[in-house]
Amino acid sequence: MGNQTSLLAEARERLRPVFAQIAAGTVARERDHQLPFAEVEALRAAGFGRMRLPTAHGGFGLDWPSFAEVLIELAAADSNLPQIFRGHIAYVEHLLAAAPSERRERWLDRIADGQLVGNAWSENGAAAVGTNETRVTRRPDGTWRVDGRKFYTTGSIFAEWIDATVDLDGETVTALIRRHQRGVEISDDWDGFGQPLTGTGTAVFTDASVDHEDVEAFNSRVPYQTAVYQLTLLAVLAGVAVAIERDAVAQVRARTRTYSHGSAARVADDPQVLQIVGELTATSATARALVLDVSRAVQHASDVLGTPETEAAVIAAELGSSRAQIVLTDLVPRAASRLFDTLGASAVRSGTALDRHWRNARTVASHNPWIFKARQLGDHAVNGRTPVFVWAVGESNVTGAGARQG
C-alpha cells in the first residue's frame, strides 16, 4: 500500500482540521442530543470513508495500524463518530478481501465516491437465537423485497446503504439495502446512557427493494470480520482514554482552588494528584498499544488471506481482540472514574460533561460481553479449543445460524 508514514501523514493533514471542529462541538451535541449529521458529512468530504481503499482506487491506502491511529484520534475528538462508521469499515474490508468481479468494482467505486454503509445485524424482538424475523423474498415480478425490523442499526441513519442480515428460505444472508427509498424508516430511538449520538436505533423495512446481486451468503464475509468489528470498538475505548488524559491534564493545570489538607499549595504540584494523572497517562498509552497490537494482527490476517496461514492468522486476530477487550473494559471506565479524584466537586457539574467519558466507555465495553470472551480464552489456553468467533443474540428456545454481532 505504499509508504505508510507518508500516507498516514497525508490522511492526518486532511482529517485533523475536521477532527478539531468535531471536538469543539462534542459537549454541546451530547447535551442537546444533536445527531452529528454535519460532522459525518465533513468526514465524508475529507475522505474518511475511503481510508482503507488503495490509492489507485481513490483511497488513502492506509494499512490497519495506520487506520487504527486515525480511529483513535477521531474517538478522542468524539467517541460516537468511529462507532457510526463501524459497519462501513467492516463492509469495506469485505470488499477489499473479495475476489475481483464487476459487482466488487461497482461497490468500490461507490465507496470512492463517498457513499456510506450502515449496519443492521441485530434484532431485539422475539426471534430465536441465530434466526432473523427480517426476511428477503421474491416478488411476483421477479424483483426482491425486504420486510422486517432491526435494532442497533448503528450508522444507518447517516448512510446511503444498510448492511442487514436477513432470512432467505431459512438461511441467514446479508442484503445491501438503499437507505433512501420508500419502505425504509429509521428512528433515532437509541436510549442508552452512553454513545447517545451513534444513531443506534430502529430500522423498519416494509416492501423495501434490494438488488438480487446485493444479497450474499453470510459465510461469504471475510473470515476475520469479527476482529474488525471489535477493533473499531477498541479504538473507541482508546480514544476515550486519550480524552480522559487530555481533560485531566487541562483541568489540573487550570485549577486555582485547593484544599487546606492537600499536599501542595497548587493542585498542579500536588504529588497525590500528579500520581493519578500519571496513572491516566499509563492507561491511555496502554490502550493505544493494545489497539495497535490488534491492528497488526488484523493486517496480517488480511495479508495472508487465501494462503495456508489464513486460519492461524484469523485465530490470532480474534484472540488478540478478545484479550484487548477484556483489559480495556476494566481500565478505561476505571480511568474515567479516577479522573474525578484529581478535581473538586465542581468537576461533576453538568457543564463540564466529564461524566460522558465513563458513560461512553461503559457503553462501548458492553458490546459483545467480555465475560464470555474471557471464558473462551481460558478454554483455549487450558484445553486448546478454538473459540467460536461468530455469535448470535435472541430468545433462547431455539438455536441456529443467524443474526450476529451485537
Side-chain angles (χ1 to χ4, degrees):
M1 281 196 174
N3 185 303
Q4 284 298 309
T5 300
S6 61
L7 293 174
L8 178 56
E10 179 184 353
R12 279 175 162 159
E13 184 178 0
R14 285 180 61 93
L15 292 171
R16 278 181 168 168
V18 180
F19 289 178
Q21 285 186 318
I22 287 169
T26 297
V27 173
R29 283 191 301 276
E30 183 161 323
R31 180 192 62 220
D32 301 334
H33 194 84
Q34 180 181 346
L35 290 182
F37 286 103
E39 290 69 27
V40 170
E41 288 305 307
L43 288 168
R44 183 205 304 267
F48 187 81
R50 49 190 171 90
M51 289 285 122
R52 283 277 295 145
L53 260 60
T55 55
H57 215 118
F60 284 78
L62 298 189
D63 65 8
W64 268 107
S66 295
F67 189 34
E69 296 266 21
V70 171
L71 288 171
I72 293 169
E73 285 193 48
L74 177 57
D78 184 337
S79 64
N80 291 274
L81 282 157
Q83 189 173 350
I84 285 171
F85 281 85
R86 184 177 177 231
H88 179 84
I89 291 165
Y91 193 71
V92 169
E93 194 67 18
H94 170 60
L95 292 173
L96 293 176
S101 68
E102 289 185 8
R103 179 184 180 279
R104 178 180 183 269
E105 289 303 306
R106 184 159 49 251
W107 270 99
L108 289 175
D109 287 343
R110 286 171 176 167
I111 301 301
D113 286 342
Q115 295 186 36
L116 301 179
V117 179
N119 183 263
W121 281 24
S122 293
E123 299 180 5
N124 64 346
V129 172
T131 68
N132 293 278
E133 291 193 329
T134 304
R135 287 177 165 75
V136 59
T137 56
R138 191 193 295 265
R139 298 188 181 105
D141 64 1
T143 59
W144 292 74
R145 62 181 284 178
V146 176
D147 297 272
R149 177 184 294 263
K150 291 286 187 176
F151 196 58
Y152 302 116
T153 58
T154 305
S156 292
I157 201 168
F158 306 95
E160 284 73 38
W161 300 89
I162 304 173
D163 178 24
T165 51
V166 297
D167 178 89
L168 175 61
D169 297 330
E171 297 294 329
T172 293
V173 298
T174 61
L176 267 290
I177 305 163
R178 285 190 181 273
R179 155 76 174 93
H180 299 289
Q181 62 167 295
R182 181 181 299 176
V184 176
E185 180 182 352
I186 300 182
S187 302
D188 177 31
D189 57 348
W190 165 240
D191 60 354
F193 61 65
Q195 296 296 91
L197 305 180
T198 55
T200 304
T202 300
V204 178
F205 305 103
T206 307
D207 194 21
S209 295
V210 61
D211 290 339
H212 184 230
E213 70 168 7
D214 289 331
V215 177
E216 300 180 274
F218 182 85
N219 60 13
S220 70
R221 290 301 177 103
V222 62
Y224 54 90
Q225 69 174 355
T226 305
V228 169
Y229 276 110
Q230 194 62 53
L231 176 55
T232 305
L233 295 181
L234 293 171
V236 173
L237 285 171
V240 172
V242 170
I244 291 167
E245 177 188 358
R246 176 198 66 211
D247 289 352
V249 169
Q251 293 280 341
V252 169
R253 281 177 177 168
R255 188 164 175 77
T256 57
R257 290 164 59 83
T258 189
Y259 289 93
S260 61
H261 54 299
S263 301
R266 280 194 338 139
V267 173
D269 294 323
D270 191 308
Q272 291 180 281
V273 171
L274 294 177
Q275 175 187 337
I276 296 173
V277 174
E279 292 174 6
L280 300 182
T281 68
T283 296
S284 175
T286 298
R288 179 178 176 275
L290 285 172
V291 170
L292 293 180
D293 184 62
V294 175
S295 73
R296 287 187 288 269
V298 170
Q299 183 61 49
H300 179 64
S302 172
D303 291 340
V304 303
L305 188 64
T307 75
E309 298 179 57
T310 297
E311 183 178 5
V314 169
I315 290 172
E318 301 288 2
L319 294 177
S321 70
S322 294
R323 294 187 192 103
Q325 179 186 356
I326 292 164
V327 173
L328 296 188
T329 293
D330 175 55
L331 286 185
V332 180
R334 180 147 48 94
S337 293
R338 293 287 277 163
L339 164 64
F340 292 95
D341 292 331
T342 68
L343 307 170
S346 59
V348 306
R349 300 181 69 177
S350 59
T352 67
L354 293 176
D355 62 306
R356 76 186 190 279
H357 296 316
W358 185 89
R359 290 186 290 100
N360 292 336
R362 183 59 262 180
T363 299
V364 172
S366 297
H367 281 272
N368 311 320
W370 70 268
I371 58 173
F372 306 132
K373 304 282 192 74
R375 186 202 71 233
Q376 289 188 330
L377 285 172
D379 199 13
H380 179 267
V382 174
N383 300 310
R385 294 191 182 95
T386 299
V388 175
F389 296 123
V390 181
W391 50 86
V393 179
E395 295 291 331
S396 61
N397 57 324
V398 179
T399 59
R404 279 86 171 184
Q405 293 288 352

